[in-house]
Amino acid sequence: MTATAQWRPARLVSVENASSDMICLLVEPETTVPHRAGQHYEIRFPGDELGRKYSIVSPPGERAPLEFGVQILAKGLVSPRLACSLPGTPIELRGPLGEAFTWSPDAGPSLILIGGGAGITPLLSIYAAFIHAYPRGTCRFLLSAKRPDLVYHLDRYERILITRYTGTAPRLTAADLA
């Protein structure tokens, strides 16, 4: 069994509100496994069979703790428990996982990121990796959200986002992309 397929111990360093429906989890794994921009981990509580997949916000190569953006689902079985957890709470990680939605510096010095809602989290890792590889590169980061209070750490990322708030309207349109 590979290191990414095994459950490994970790602990929560902090849990903070990142938007009206998301939290920012900082997690200290007992052992770290390098990840690629855009990958995710599965997180569960020790003794539980049920785990959920959460995208890594941290860029590749950043030392622990790892940052995860977690959308709190009212009827969720893991996210509400994570939101109420205290620093030091033991958890388990499996990953990093996912190869289809990753970015590599080989892609070159221009990038367009398009996402919506909680889908911003893997894009933040990709953005950080891009800026590290290409400080003078060209990146456009389009985000669609219903309201500003639903954007993950808007105060932290507002300067890099081209944001369309849709309310109940359609997400991004062809005119938005132009």
Side-chain angles (χ1 to χ4, degrees):
M1 186 179 289
T2 66
T4 59
Q6 298 173 14
W7 287 102
R8 296 184 314 282
R11 68 176 181 81
L12 293 178
V13 174
S14 69
V15 178
E16 67 177 58
N17 290 330
S19 76
S20 62
D21 70 340
M22 291 185 76
I23 57 172
C24 171
L25 278 183
L26 291 183
V27 175
E28 184 80 46
E30 198 170 275
T31 57
T32 57
V33 176
H35 70 276
R36 295 181 63 198
Q39 286 188 301
H40 62 274
Y41 275 84
E42 203 168 348
I43 297 176
R44 72 179 184 187
F45 289 93
D48 285 0
E49 291 295 316
L50 181 65
R52 291 290 186 256
K53 295 174 182 171
Y54 299 111
S55 295
I56 306 166
V57 175
S58 304
E62 188 170 287
R63 300 183 70 93
L66 295 173
E67 180 179 345
F68 295 89
V70 176
Q71 186 172 29
I72 306 305
L73 302 175
K75 295 182 180 182
L77 298 175
V78 177
S79 62
R81 285 180 64 196
L82 287 170
C84 296
S85 295
L86 299 172
T89 298
I91 59 170
E92 294 178 326
L93 300 175
R94 179 163 53 188
L97 305 166
E99 293 298 323
F101 189 71
T102 60
W103 180 85
S104 167
D106 303 348
S110 60
L111 180 65
I112 296 175
L113 298 169
I114 302 173
I120 190 175
T121 54
L123 300 179
L124 291 170
S125 178
I126 291 170
Y127 177 81
F130 173 81
I131 291 301
H132 178 75
Y134 298 104
R136 291 178 171 47
T138 302
C139 179
R140 298 293 178 259
F141 195 149
L142 292 102
L143 180 72
S144 174
K146 289 182 181 177
R147 303 182 312 269
D149 66 296
L150 296 173
V151 178
Y152 183 82
H153 278 304
L154 179 61
D155 57 332
R156 192 185 298 171
Y157 298 113
E158 189 169 29
R159 65 173 183 70
I160 66 170
L161 297 172
I162 300 168
T163 310
R164 168 128 159 89
Y165 298 112
T166 59
T168 58
R171 295 281 183 185
L172 293 171
T173 65
D176 295 324
L177 297 177

